[in-house]
């Protein structure tokens, strides 16, 4: 079985759900507490032992490249001021992974963004992580995915059950149980209406994919929203090869919408050593007061 050494992170989207915040800055750079969201993903990949990261970017995404580059001036300044901890933190960001970039020239959808990785990946299985999904878990979510791939082979899609009134926001999985938390996928539907959803098990931004996905992506016609959907290519893949769905352990945040973003901010702040105590007190106090508009 081939080892997973590469992960693709699509970050080319325009971030229209988060305007005006994303008008001039990539949504992947919006911070949750003190880290840009994309850094959470790269830390998760590194913790899962995956160090080659391909970020699919587009115009106006330079801040991502700058963030993972060395920052010589800043490092010198921190050195002069003897801020050793901060210096170490800043340097660690650029040493975290080998990061590569490819530009998606047109916003034709997630499937098309993944297709841009074809030459970089070649014929190997690889991982995909989506920037709107961050997961707080004991075992890094991507590690759980890779363990599942190493047990069952094929491709693996990470998901969890969501409330039925939210199924139309996600790719939805139909499948047959092969273990407590693993299904063999029989069908996938991108953002179905509640009445048409075959289950409430949603795709939540983590995949381990066989290289066989690329020829299918090349043939995939625009689907939901007029975009080339990864879900549609995976539905086809599941008819030809084994595709599994792993119900991963961990707290998932959908930071692509306002409420999910706020939930992540509050919960990560409550886990942050520096601010958690004071923040907890603040939350308790503020809930007792009436906030005026
Ligand atoms: C994408 C996928 C969808 C998945 C979701 C969350 O949708 O197309 O299948 O459920 O991410 O991981 P998006 O939220 O980018 O519209």
């Amino acid at each position: 079985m081939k080892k997973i050494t590469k992960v693709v992170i699509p970050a080319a989207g325009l971030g229209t759900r988060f305007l005006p915040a994303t008008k001039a800055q990539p949504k992947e750079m919006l911070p949750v507490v003190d880290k840009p969201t994309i850094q959470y993903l790269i830390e998760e990949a590194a913790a899962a032992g995956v160090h080659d990261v391909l970020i699919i970017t587009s115009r106006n995404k330079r801040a991502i490249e700058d963030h993972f580059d060395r920052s010589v001036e800043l490092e010198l300044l921190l050195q002069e001021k003897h801020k050793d901890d901060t210096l170490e933190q800043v340097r660690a960001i650029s040493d975290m992974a080998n990061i590569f970039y490819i530009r998606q020239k047109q916003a034709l959808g997630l499937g098309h963004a993944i297709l841009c990785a074809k030459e970089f990946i070649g014929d190997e299985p690889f991982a995909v992580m989506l920037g709107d999904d961050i997961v707080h878990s004991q075992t890094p979510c991507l590690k759980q995915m890779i363990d599942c791939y190493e047990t069952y082979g094929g491709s693996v899609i990470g998901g969890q059950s969501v409330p039925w009134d939210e199924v139309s926001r996600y790719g939805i999985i139909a499948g047959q149980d092969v273990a407590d938390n693993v299904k063999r996928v029989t069908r996938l539907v991108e953002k179905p209406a509640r009445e048409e959803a075959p289950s409430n098990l949603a795709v939540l931004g983590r995949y381990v994919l066989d290289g066989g996905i690329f020829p299918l992506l090349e043939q995939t016609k625009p689907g939901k929203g007029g975009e080339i959907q990864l879900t549609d290519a995976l539905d086809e893949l599941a008819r030809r090869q084994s595709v599994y769905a792993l119900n991963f352990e961990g707290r998932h945040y959908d930071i692509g919408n306002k409420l999910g973003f706020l939930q992540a901010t509050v919960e990560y702040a409550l886990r942050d050593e520096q601010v958690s105590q004071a923040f907890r007190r603040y939350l308790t106090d503020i809930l007792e007061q009436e906030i005026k508009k």
Side-chain angles (χ1 to χ4, degrees), residues 26-48:
K27 73 169 175 179
E28 296 77 11
M29 290 302 294
L30 297 179
V32 169
V33 185
D34 58 358
K35 265 188 252 174
T37 56
I38 194 165
Q39 191 177 329
Y40 286 88
L41 296 196
I42 293 182
E43 287 178 0
E44 183 187 315

Side-chain angles (χ1 to χ4, degrees), residues 228-266:
I228 297 174
Q229 296 291 351
L230 176 60
T231 304
D232 293 344
L234 282 170
D235 180 50
E236 197 51 47
L237 189 71
R239 290 172 216 267
R240 298 165 189 232
Q241 300 178 10
S242 311
V243 177
Y244 297 94
L246 171 72
N247 195 329
F248 57 74
E249 170 276 318
R251 174 100 168 102
H252 163 262
Y253 302 91
D254 181 358
I255 55 168
N257 73 74
K258 253 194 232 180
L259 182 63
F261 191 85
L262 292 171
Q263 286 165 340
T265 302
V266 169

Side-chain angles (χ1 to χ4, degrees), residues 2-75:
K2 286 192 185 156
K3 244 178 99 74
I4 306 294
T5 60
K6 294 176 182 168
V7 59
V8 179
I9 303 182
L14 295 172
T16 44
R17 277 183 284 196
F18 243 102
L19 283 167
T22 50
K23 184 164 176 253
Q25 70 171 328
K27 73 169 175 179
E28 296 77 11
M29 290 302 294
L30 297 179
V32 169
V33 185
D34 58 358
K35 265 188 252 174
T37 56
I38 194 165
Q39 191 177 329
Y40 286 88
L41 296 196
I42 293 182
E43 287 178 0
E44 183 187 315
V50 180
H51 297 283
D52 290 341
V53 178
L54 175 68
I55 304 182
I56 312 289
T57 64
S58 59
R59 289 179 285 278
N60 304 326
K61 300 279 183 169
R62 263 223 19 221
I64 300 180
E65 292 180 39
D66 290 343
H67 183 72
F68 292 106
D69 198 354
R70 293 294 291 264
S71 177
V72 181
E73 273 174 31
L74 177 65
E75 288 177 28

Side-chain angles (χ1 to χ4, degrees), residues 83-96:
K83 299 206 165 180
D84 297 340
D85 288 354
T86 320
L87 177 63
E88 209 177 302
Q89 225 178 24
V90 165
R91 281 207 179 130
I93 298 172
S94 48
D95 293 339
M96 215 174 295

Side-chain angles (χ1 to χ4, degrees), residues 20-249:
T22 50
K23 184 164 176 253
Q25 70 171 328
K27 73 169 175 179
E28 296 77 11
M29 290 302 294
L30 297 179
V32 169
V33 185
D34 58 358
K35 265 188 252 174
T37 56
I38 194 165
Q39 191 177 329
Y40 286 88
L41 296 196
I42 293 182
E43 287 178 0
E44 183 187 315
V50 180
H51 297 283
D52 290 341
V53 178
L54 175 68
I55 304 182
I56 312 289
T57 64
S58 59
R59 289 179 285 278
N60 304 326
K61 300 279 183 169
R62 263 223 19 221
I64 300 180
E65 292 180 39
D66 290 343
H67 183 72
F68 292 106
D69 198 354
R70 293 294 291 264
S71 177
V72 181
E73 273 174 31
L74 177 65
E75 288 177 28
L76 271 177
L77 187 89
L78 293 171
Q79 216 164 8
E80 275 164 23
K81 300 204 165 196
H82 304 291
K83 299 206 165 180
D84 297 340
D85 288 354
T86 320
L87 177 63
E88 209 177 302
Q89 225 178 24
V90 165
R91 281 207 179 130
I93 298 172
S94 48
D95 293 339
M96 215 174 295
N98 311 316
I99 306 188
F100 304 84
Y101 300 91
I102 291 181
R103 273 196 182 197
Q104 183 190 22
K105 295 181 188 70
Q106 273 179 292
L108 298 179
L110 176 61
H112 178 262
I114 301 297
L115 192 51
C116 296
K118 187 179 164 202
E119 305 299 325
F120 177 82
I121 299 292
D123 194 23
E124 297 166 41
F126 63 103
V128 172
M129 300 169 90
L130 304 188
D132 282 348
D133 302 278
I134 54 180
V135 181
H136 180 82
S137 54
Q138 285 274 312
T139 307
C141 186
L142 193 64
K143 172 86 172 53
Q144 298 177 46
M145 298 286 299
I146 292 173
D147 288 347
C148 181
Y149 157 78
E150 287 176 351
T151 310
Y152 294 96
S155 299
V156 183
I157 303 174
Q160 283 184 346
S161 299
V162 297
W164 277 96
D165 58 0
E166 288 178 15
V167 290
S168 63
R169 291 197 343 220
Y170 300 99
I172 296 294
I173 303 165
Q176 283 153 358
D177 289 344
V178 291
D180 271 358
N181 56 351
V182 182
K183 283 185 195 301
R184 170 128 192 205
V185 176
T186 50
R187 194 156 74 92
L188 283 154
V189 199
E190 180 68 2
K191 306 197 174 93
R194 186 192 168 128
E195 312 72 59
E196 277 149 32
S199 81
N200 63 341
L201 180 60
V203 178
L204 296 180
R206 296 291 179 280
Y207 310 79
V208 171
L209 300 179
D210 184 89
I213 194 71
F214 291 119
L216 295 178
L217 281 169
E218 278 167 340
Q219 290 159 24
T220 302
K221 303 258 163 356
K224 197 90 192 177
E227 298 188 339
I228 297 174
Q229 296 291 351
L230 176 60
T231 304
D232 293 344
L234 282 170
D235 180 50
E236 197 51 47
L237 189 71
R239 290 172 216 267
R240 298 165 189 232
Q241 300 178 10
S242 311
V243 177
Y244 297 94
L246 171 72
N247 195 329
F248 57 74
E249 170 276 318

